[in-house]
Amino acid sequence: MKLAVLLSAVVGASAFAPNSVSRTGTSLNMAKEIKPKLQYVPCVSTDDLPAPGKATSGVAGGLAICIAVDEKGSLWALGDKCPPINQPLSFGKVAGGAIQDPVLGTKFDLKTGQVQDGQWCTSAIGKVLGGLFEASGVPVYPVKTKGSVVEVQVDVNYKLAFEQKYWSGILDAQGKSNGKYY
């Protein structure tokens, strides 16, 4: 009986052990590695820019972007997913070289995207949630205006490269993810 219990414990534990099986022959991972490609792409119209001290959101290269306008009217581009729970950073208030998350109270530096000293999750709910996560910043992107459009420099291949690691797509009516017929 003891042997049976010990054997079942070993077999059960082995189910959670790291697996070293290599699947190099599947069609999902046979594609070439997608290299980064930085480009300025349109994000928002200059007509849609908010007043100084506020921010707005846009999409550039498939990425959610927060366009912040500081007190002097300068433009800043940051990732629009605010850690730790990914609510939009574009709802925040811009002041003193930072943008503040309106829900959790975190202040992110406009130049670096890093959390300003001691400003991680300072609101009441932020203190509860922030203690569960390590402080982390948001990405920043070069930004410029070109005519009546605000452009942000992003890796236009980022989304494809990310998705390539996980799944090739949703099966279509014919059962193939690439849209081809059998």
Side-chain angles (χ1 to χ4, degrees):
M1 179 68 174
K2 291 180 183 178
L3 182 60
V5 170
L6 178 64
L7 185 61
S8 65
V10 169
V11 169
S14 69
F16 297 100
N19 189 348
S20 63
V21 174
S22 175
R23 291 175 173 81
T24 58
T26 68
S27 63
L28 293 178
N29 59 12
M30 293 299 285
K32 294 180 183 176
E33 179 184 349
I34 298 173
K35 305 258 189 226
K37 182 179 178 184
L38 294 177
Q39 276 184 325
Y40 277 96
V41 294
C43 186
V44 297
S45 168
T46 54
D47 295 336
D48 295 333
L49 288 175
K54 298 190 182 234
T56 190
S57 63
V59 176
L63 300 174
I65 304 291
C66 168
I67 302 292
V69 183
D70 67 12
E71 302 93 341
K72 298 175 187 173
S74 298
L75 297 179
W76 303 90
L78 303 97
D80 200 25
K81 295 190 178 196
C82 186
I85 57 174
N86 290 336
Q87 74 276 8
L89 184 58
S90 55
F91 293 151
K93 183 188 285 187
V94 181
I99 184 168
Q100 184 173 13
D101 170 12
V103 178
L104 301 178
T106 304
K107 286 188 179 179
F108 299 97
D109 188 280
L110 292 173
K111 291 180 184 176
T112 65
Q114 297 302 311
V115 177
Q116 286 190 336
D117 293 335
Q119 299 298 315
W120 173 253
C121 297
T122 58
S123 70
I125 187 122
K127 289 179 182 178
V128 173
L129 288 174
L132 301 173
F133 300 93
E134 190 174 315
S136 62
V138 293
V140 294
Y141 304 97
V143 63
K144 68 179 183 179
T145 56
K146 185 176 182 183
S148 63
V149 176
V150 175
E151 294 185 338
V152 178
Q153 186 184 41
V154 296
D155 176 6
V156 294
N157 289 339
Y158 180 81
K159 186 176 178 186
L160 286 173
F162 178 83
E163 290 172 349
Q164 182 184 37
K165 295 177 191 174
Y166 295 100
W167 185 246
S168 67
I170 298 173
L171 299 177
D172 65 7
Q174 300 299 317
K176 292 184 87 177
S177 63
N178 63 4
K180 303 281 184 188
Y181 294 101
Y182 286 105

